[in-house]
Amino acid sequence: MLATKYRIPKEEIAPLLKKGESLVSKLFIIRCKENDKNFFRYRVIISRKVDTKAVKRNLLRRQSYEAIRINSPKEREKNNFDIVLIPKKSILSSSFQSISKDIEENIIKKLHGKNE
């Protein structure tokens, strides 16, 4: 699991969803906004529209956090982002490897690449 330090608190999610920059990948809708921390923070929000069963939504959330943990670089000194991931329905038929690959290619490289 992703450490609590790297998660966005609930009260900071609504402003990020309203004013954050939007990106789209194969499996996720991504909202991001720069933060004043020296690390990236993440949150995965899975709607009931994706799957009505909480067990499946929780599995997808855990897999997403694990993929972020594995692929995300740690502390940086330049601009850092708060990132909210909203999975699409297509994530239901995806394996952990494809979720991890999508996060690595479309989120980590694009957003972390902005720091270089």
Side-chain angles (χ1 to χ4, degrees):
M1 281 305 274
L2 196 62
T4 308
K5 171 184 174 180
Y6 299 109
R7 293 197 191 179
I8 301 170
K10 274 186 180 179
E11 53 275 355
E12 294 182 30
I13 293 173
L16 194 144
L17 291 174
K18 285 183 182 177
K19 297 181 181 178
E21 179 184 337
S22 184
L23 299 169
V24 179
S25 73
K26 182 181 173 189
L27 300 175
F28 295 97
I29 297 169
I30 304 126
R31 302 290 284 187
C32 58
K33 185 178 174 187
E34 286 191 39
N35 67 23
D36 57 348
K37 312 283 187 215
N38 65 339
F39 50 88
F40 282 73
R41 296 189 304 176
Y42 304 91
R43 191 65 159 212
V44 178
I45 301 173
I46 301 180
S47 170
R48 262 195 194 158
K49 292 178 183 178
V50 173
D51 197 344
T52 56
K53 298 198 183 287
V55 173
K56 185 66 173 173
R57 291 193 310 269
N58 290 335
L59 174 67
L60 294 171
R61 184 178 296 114
R62 286 193 308 271
Q63 287 178 339
S64 298
Y65 278 131
E66 184 64 14
I68 290 168
R69 187 186 69 79
I70 291 169
N71 294 311
S72 181
K74 297 300 177 212
E75 317 259 327
R76 297 228 182 189
E77 295 179 10
K78 294 185 180 181
N79 300 340
N80 293 295
F81 291 90
D82 287 340
I83 302 167
V84 173
L85 302 169
I86 305 167
K88 295 179 181 179
K89 248 187 171 182
S90 59
I91 200 168
L92 292 173
S93 60
S94 302
S95 65
F96 174 73
Q97 287 78 18
S98 61
I99 293 171
S100 182
K101 184 179 177 184
D102 188 68
I103 286 176
E104 180 184 9
E105 290 177 356
N106 296 307
I107 298 162
I108 305 300
K109 287 183 181 175
K110 284 181 185 176
L111 292 176
H112 290 282
K114 288 185 179 181
N115 282 348
E116 265 85 68

